[in-house]
Amino acid sequence: MRILLVEDDERVAGGVSAALNAAGFVVDRSGDGEDAWFRGETEHYAAAILDLGLPGLDGLSVLRKWRAAGQRLPVLILTARGDWSERVEGIDAGADDYLPKPFRMEELIARLRALIRRAAGQATALLVNGRMTLDTRRMAVSLDGVPVHLSPQEYRLVSYLMQHAGRVVSQLELTEQLYAQDFERDSNAVEVLVGRVRRKLGTDLIETRRGFGYLIEPDQS
């Protein structure tokens, strides 16, 4: 899943970005408010991590502009400001969660995953569909209880479709969520990836809707 990380401190941004990549996320980084506002308005992200103390346009202003425009992406505020009134102001402006610096990467990732789950209407880190179980905390997939090895890209594909079960996801949206902006990919990269996943998890898990995209039907059991 694709995350927008808005942080002007290069050291913090580099550390968070590396941790998110290791946790299976694709990360786009932005270091100033105007750029972050534009990206949030024009790109599709699963969530945003937003620092308040940004050059140009501050984080609260970015958040307010997103919400005023109807942008509903989950937003986690990440800031050195620790005053409770500023935390309240951020949540009132439309933030979904708040994590003060310094912080543990494990907590940041856990909070981010929880935000994404809630946005998708899911209450647990375990997603079950028929014979398959996906554990978003461990980034693991099993079939009939037997672990199945997936590459990072294969896992991201299955995870994104599972978290949007019941909705046809276009090839363009999957490309945006699975690959970094500067990654050069073939036009049939998603199709090849779906083929690899089907060979590992079965041909009936991911449906192809020609001209529209790909779908995992919700579990009916």
Side-chain angles (χ1 to χ4, degrees):
M1 273 180 247
R2 193 171 167 209
I3 304 299
L4 177 60
L5 172 60
V6 187
E7 171 61 68
D8 63 324
D9 186 316
E10 282 292 325
R11 184 183 61 82
V12 174
V16 172
S17 182
L20 292 176
N21 287 151
F25 295 101
V26 174
V27 182
D28 287 351
R29 285 169 55 176
S30 177
D32 70 82
E34 290 288 352
D35 177 69
W37 169 77
F38 179 76
R39 290 191 186 209
E41 282 290 286
T42 58
E43 302 286 340
H44 182 81
Y45 294 101
I49 299 173
L50 178 65
D51 183 44
L52 293 187
L54 299 171
L57 192 66
D58 69 89
L60 278 178
S61 297
V62 172
L63 180 56
R64 289 190 178 107
K65 290 183 71 171
W66 281 344
R67 295 309 190 223
Q71 179 56 263
R72 299 175 60 187
L73 84 161
V75 175
L76 170 64
I77 289 179
L78 187 66
T79 182
R81 303 178 186 180
D83 186 80
W84 69 266
S85 62
E86 291 180 327
R87 293 198 293 271
V88 171
E89 187 178 10
I91 293 171
D92 283 345
D96 299 278
D97 202 356
Y98 198 113
L99 187 61
K101 301 173 184 176
F103 55 87
R104 294 292 298 243
M105 290 296 181
E106 295 86 350
E107 182 179 5
L108 170 64
I109 291 169
R111 286 176 179 269
L112 183 63
R113 285 175 174 153
L115 286 184
I116 295 170
R117 284 201 309 270
R118 289 200 296 267
Q122 294 153 355
T124 175
L126 289 178
L127 306 180
V128 179
N129 190 295
R131 300 164 53 216
M132 188 189 75
T133 300
L134 184 144
D135 187 335
T136 60
R137 287 173 301 191
R138 297 174 52 242
M139 293 185 292
V141 173
S142 61
L143 202 61
D144 292 328
V146 179
V148 177
H149 174 74
L150 298 180
S151 71
Q153 289 296 82
E154 292 166 353
Y155 171 81
R156 288 180 185 131
L157 171 68
V158 176
S159 177
Y160 193 78
L161 290 175
M162 283 282 283
Q163 297 207 42
H164 295 82
R167 177 168 75 85
V168 177
V169 181
S170 71
Q171 182 167 311
L172 175 60
E173 182 177 339
L174 284 172
T175 300
E176 291 177 343
Q177 293 296 320
L178 298 176
Y179 301 98
Q181 284 186 321
D182 58 354
F183 183 84
E184 189 174 342
R185 56 257 187 184
D186 298 328
S187 59
N188 67 337
V190 171
E191 185 176 352
V192 171
L193 191 61
V194 169
R196 295 209 313 256
V197 169
R198 282 173 172 157
R199 286 193 290 274
K200 294 182 178 182
L201 298 178
T203 58
D204 57 347
L205 175 66
I206 302 175
E207 296 182 24
T208 300
R209 297 290 175 89
R210 293 295 177 189
F212 295 97
Y214 299 94
L215 166 73
I216 289 182
E217 290 284 4
D219 185 49
Q220 302 297 325
S221 59

